[in-house]
Amino acid sequence: MKRSATTSTTSWLAAAAAVMVVSGGLVAAQSAPDGENGRYSMSPIPEGVLRLDTRTGTVSTCTKNGAGWACYAVPDERTALDAEIGRLQAEVEKLKGQLAAGPPVSGKIDEALPKSDQLKKAEPKVAEGERKIEIPLPSDKDVDRVMSFLEKAWRRLIDMANRVQKDVSGKI
């Protein structure tokens, strides 16, 4: 595909203007007021140019690619923080409205609350109709069966160790 001479010239002029600004040359597409150096302030970086828009405060990185120069805005942490603060403030106001619209809460209780032990853990409350979860302990019969199993397993392990020891000592 053949590019037109105008597009090629425009890309070349844009690249030349950026190089002149970076190298310290004075390029003015429009005449800047006497008290102002122009809208953009540029500083060279290894990847290309760092551009500061002096009117808006936006920072962009400009790099040269196959099609010419391209500038991309650098993410602004302050903008993200301000947006999050605004979202949280709106949520707080919404919750305040919901709280104000809720049932009224009486201010004073006539009776003093009973003092309780701070270290004592409160037992879980069980509503009527709900079942408690109880874990039954093993019976004596169950414990005897487990002990019998462990004794048999231990005896077999000792017998096996003795057989291995006899086999090894007999071969050496």
Side-chain angles (χ1 to χ4, degrees), residues 27-105:
V27 175
Q30 61 184 24
S31 62
D34 291 336
E36 198 176 305
N37 290 333
R39 179 173 180 174
Y40 298 105
S41 172
M42 299 201 182
S43 300
I45 57 173
E47 299 83 26
V49 179
L50 190 65
R51 179 181 77 177
L52 170 66
D53 186 339
T54 57
R55 291 185 192 158
T56 64
T58 304
V59 177
S60 303
T61 55
C62 301
T63 56
K64 185 175 182 179
N65 57 24
W69 285 86
C71 296
Y72 299 99
V74 175
D76 186 11
E77 288 183 19
R78 183 64 190 176
T79 303
L81 289 174
D82 287 341
E84 180 66 10
I85 289 170
R87 185 189 69 78
L88 290 173
Q89 287 174 340
E91 186 176 343
V92 165
E93 292 303 319
K94 177 183 170 189
L95 292 172
K96 282 181 180 178
Q98 288 176 354
L99 185 60
V105 178

Side-chain angles (χ1 to χ4, degrees), residues 85-142:
I85 289 170
R87 185 189 69 78
L88 290 173
Q89 287 174 340
E91 186 176 343
V92 165
E93 292 303 319
K94 177 183 170 189
L95 292 172
K96 282 181 180 178
Q98 288 176 354
L99 185 60
V105 178
S106 62
K108 185 176 178 184
I109 300 174
D110 293 335
E111 297 178 13
L113 295 174
K115 292 185 180 181
S116 62
D117 186 6
Q118 297 291 336
L119 299 177
K120 183 179 178 183
K121 292 185 180 180
E123 293 184 20
K125 296 180 181 179
V126 179
E128 290 183 27
E130 289 186 25
R131 297 185 337 183
K132 283 187 176 179
I133 297 175
E134 293 184 14
I135 300 174
L137 295 175
S139 66
D140 288 337
K141 184 179 177 182
D142 293 334

